[in-house]
C-alpha cells in the first residue's frame, strides 16, 4: 500500500497551528500601534475595567480592523481556492479573471454618485460590488462560450485578463470626475486599504463571508470531484453545470464583499491557495480552511506591520502584502520552470 503524502491528521494539525498563529498575530496587533497599550491594559479592557481612552482604542480602532483583516482574508482565500479548483488552473483568482476589476468599477461608480459613509453604504457597497463581479463573470462566460463545445479554462482566464484591461480604462475615465477627497479614497482602495473598519460595515460583511464559507465548505467533496474533470465528475453522479454555477457565484460573492470593504487584495486570492496546497494537499475539506487561514494571516500580518512600523507615510496594507508575497510567487514560478 502506497503511503499518502498528505494525511488527514496532518492537515488538521496544520490548520490548528495556523489558527494559533493567527491568534498570536491578533494579540500582537491589538497591543501594537501608534497609541501603545500594554498587555495588562488590553486585558483590563477585555474584562470591562478599561478606561474610556483604552476602550476607544481597542473597540473602535484596533478590534474592528483585526476582524476586517480576518474576514477579507477568508473571503479572498476561499474565493481564490474555488476558482483555481473549478478552472484547474493555478493562475486563476478574482484578479486574473477580472472579477475584482468589475467589482471595483461598480464601487467607483457608487463613490462618484454617493457618500461612502453611513449604514446605507455599508449595505450598498458589497451588493454593488457583487453585481459588478457577477456582471464581469457573466461577460467572461458569454465571450468564452462556444456552442457544442466545453468552455476552455485557459480561454476564460485570457478573456478575464482582456476584460480587466477594459475595466481599468473605464475606471481611469471615471476618476477624472472625482474631487480630491474621492480621488484619495480610490487611490488607497486600489492599493489595498482596509478602509471599512467600523462596526456598521462589519455587521454586513461578517454574515456575508461566514455563510458563504460554510456553503463552500459543505460543497468541499463536490469540489474534490470536480477537480478530477467534468467527465469523471458526471460519471460519479455530480450535476456539473449547477454545481459549477453555484460555486462560481459563491466565489464571486466572497471576493466582491472583500473587495468592497477591504480594497483590491487580488494577490492574496492567488497566492494563499498555493501555500495551503503545499501544506495540506488537495483535499478541499482541509484546503479551504487552510487557504482562508493563510490569507487571513497574510492580511493581518501586513496590516500590523503598517500600523506598527514607521515607514515615513501611511502605506496601504495591499502594498505590504505584495512585498511579502512576491518572493514566494517568484519561487513558485522558478520551481515550475
Amino acid at each position: 500500500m502506497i503511503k499518502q503524502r498528505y494525511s488527514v491528521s496532518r492537515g488538521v494539525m496544520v490548520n490548528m497551528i495556523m489558527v494559533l498563529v493567527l491568534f498570536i498575530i491578533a494579540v500582537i496587533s491589538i497591543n501594537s500601534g501608534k497609541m501603545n497599550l500594554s498587555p495588562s491594559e488590553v486585558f483590563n479592557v477585555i474584562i470591562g475595567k478599561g478606561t474610556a481612552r483604552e476602550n476607544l482604542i481597542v473597540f473602535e480602532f484596533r478590534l474592528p480592523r483585526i476582524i476586517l483583516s480576518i474576514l477579507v482574508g477568508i473571503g479572498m482565500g476561499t474565493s481564490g481556492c474555488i476558482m483555481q479548483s473549478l478552472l484547474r488552473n493555478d493562475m486563476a483568482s478574482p484578479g486574473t479573471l477580472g472579477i475584482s476589476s468589475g467589482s471595483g468599477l461598480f464601487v467607483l461608480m457608487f463613490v462618484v454618485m454617493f457618500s461612502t459613509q453611513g449604514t446605507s453604504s455599508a449595505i450598498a457597497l458589497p451588493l454593488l460590488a457583487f453585481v459588478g463581479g457577477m456582471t464581469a463573470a457573466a461577460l467572461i462566460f458569454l465571450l468564452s462560450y462556444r456552442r457544442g463545445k466545453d468552455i476552455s479554462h485557459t480561454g476564460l482566464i485570457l478573456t478575464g485578463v482582456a476584460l480587466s484591461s477594459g475595466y481599468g480604462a473605464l475606471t481611469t475615465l471615471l476618476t477624472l470626475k472625482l474631487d480630491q477627497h474621492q480621488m484619495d479614497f480610490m487611490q488607497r482602495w486600489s492599493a489595498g486599504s482596509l478602509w471599512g473598519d467600523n462596526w456598521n460595515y462589519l455587521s454586513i460583511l461578517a454574515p456575508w463571508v461566514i455563510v458563504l464559507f460554510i456553503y463552500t465548505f459543505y460543497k468541499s467533496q463536490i469540489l474534490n470531484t470536480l477537480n478530477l474533470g467534468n467527465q469523471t465528475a458526471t460519471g460519479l453522479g455530480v450535476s456539473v453545470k449547477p454545481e459549477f454555477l453555484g460555486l462560481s457565484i459563491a466565489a464571486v460573492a466572497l471576493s466582491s464583499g472583500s473587495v468592497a470593504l477591504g480594497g483590491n487584495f487580488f494577490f492574496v486570492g492567488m497566492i494563499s491557495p498555493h501555500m495551503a496546497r503545499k501544506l495540506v494537499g488537495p483535499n478541499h475539506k482541509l484546503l479551504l480552511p487552510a487557504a482562508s487561514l493563510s490569507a487571513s494571516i497574510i492580511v493581518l500580518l501586513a496590516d500590523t506591520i503598517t500600523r506598527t512600523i514607521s515607514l515615513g507615510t501611511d502605506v496601504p496594507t495591499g502594498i505590504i502584502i505584495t512585498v511579502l508575497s512576491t518572493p514566494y510567487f517568484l519561487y513558485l514560478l522558478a520551481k515550475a520552470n
Side-chain angles (χ1 to χ4, degrees):
M1 183 177 177
I2 299 174
K3 186 178 180 180
Q4 289 185 339
R5 183 182 173 187
Y6 300 101
S7 65
V8 173
S9 58
R10 170 198 157 107
V12 172
M13 182 62 67
V14 168
N15 277 302
M16 290 176 65
I17 291 172
M18 283 199 285
V19 169
L20 179 61
V21 171
L22 182 62
F23 176 76
I24 291 171
I25 296 173
V27 170
I28 294 171
S29 182
I30 206 168
N31 284 279
S32 305
K34 295 174 183 177
M35 296 175 286
N36 288 328
L37 290 178
S38 67
S40 61
E41 289 173 327
V42 173
F43 180 74
N44 285 334
V45 171
I46 293 171
I47 63 175
K49 295 183 178 179
T51 64
R53 172 183 172 273
E54 292 165 354
N55 288 333
L56 178 68
I57 292 172
V58 172
F59 290 121
E60 297 302 324
F61 295 128
R62 298 210 179 140
L63 190 58
R65 200 167 178 91
I66 291 169
I67 294 173
L68 178 62
S69 298
I70 294 172
L71 290 173
V72 168
I74 293 172
M76 295 305 292
T78 306
S79 177
C81 186
I82 295 169
M83 291 180 180
Q84 289 180 13
S85 297
L86 290 179
L87 300 180
R88 297 190 292 282
N89 190 307
D90 291 343
M91 293 299 293
S93 75
T96 53
L97 284 171
I99 306 298
S100 294
S101 298
S103 298
L105 178 61
F106 275 63
V107 169
L108 176 58
M109 290 167 62
F110 182 86
V111 171
V112 169
M113 293 183 288
F114 305 102
S115 170
T116 56
Q117 302 299 320
T119 305
S120 60
S121 65
I123 299 171
L125 276 172
L127 289 176
L128 279 174
F130 174 65
V131 172
M134 284 304 301
T135 303
L139 282 173
I140 292 167
F141 278 101
L142 284 173
L143 293 172
S144 303
Y145 177 75
R146 297 293 181 272
R147 189 172 181 179
K149 296 182 179 179
D150 288 336
I151 294 177
S152 167
H153 296 159
T154 304
L156 280 174
I157 293 176
L158 292 176
T159 304
V161 171
L163 284 175
S164 183
S165 299
Y167 294 136
L170 288 173
T171 299
T172 303
L173 183 64
L174 279 175
T175 54
L176 299 176
K177 298 181 177 293
L178 301 179
D179 59 31
Q180 188 59 48
H181 175 73
Q182 292 170 328
M183 179 66 78
D184 290 343
F185 172 82
M186 284 309 300
Q187 285 179 337
R188 295 188 62 77
W189 179 90
S190 299
S193 176
L194 291 165
W195 71 274
D197 55 346
N198 71 56
W199 295 109
N200 282 337
Y201 292 120
L202 293 176
S203 65
I204 302 297
L205 184 62
W208 181 294
V209 170
I210 291 170
V211 169
L212 287 168
F213 177 80
I214 291 171
Y215 166 79
T216 305
F217 184 76
Y218 175 73
K219 294 288 186 179
S220 56
Q221 192 57 48
I222 299 293
L223 278 168
N224 287 338
T225 308
L226 290 174
N227 212 24
L228 300 173
N230 291 349
Q231 290 183 341
T232 304
T234 301
L236 292 172
V238 174
S239 301
V240 173
K241 289 185 179 179
E243 296 291 358
F244 188 95
L245 180 62
L247 287 164
S248 297
I249 291 173
V252 171
L254 282 164
S255 66
S256 298
S258 302
V259 162
L261 301 182
N264 200 348
F265 287 103
F266 78 89
F267 205 73
V268 177
M270 181 189 295
I271 206 74
S272 59
H274 285 276
M275 300 173 67
R277 207 171 282 113
K278 292 280 185 183
L279 293 170
V280 302
N283 183 355
H284 284 81
K285 286 189 176 180
L286 301 170
L287 180 59
L288 286 168
S292 63
L293 285 168
S294 59
S296 298
I297 288 170
I298 292 171
V299 176
L300 184 56
L301 178 62
D303 184 60
T304 303
I305 291 172
T306 61
R307 291 190 297 103
T308 305
I309 301 175
S310 177
L311 300 171
T313 185
D314 191 9
V315 179
T317 306
I319 294 176
I320 302 298
I321 288 174
T322 303
V323 171
L324 292 175
S325 303
T326 298
Y328 182 75
F329 189 66
L330 292 174
Y331 161 75
L332 288 176
L333 289 176
K335 193 172 181 180
N337 294 329

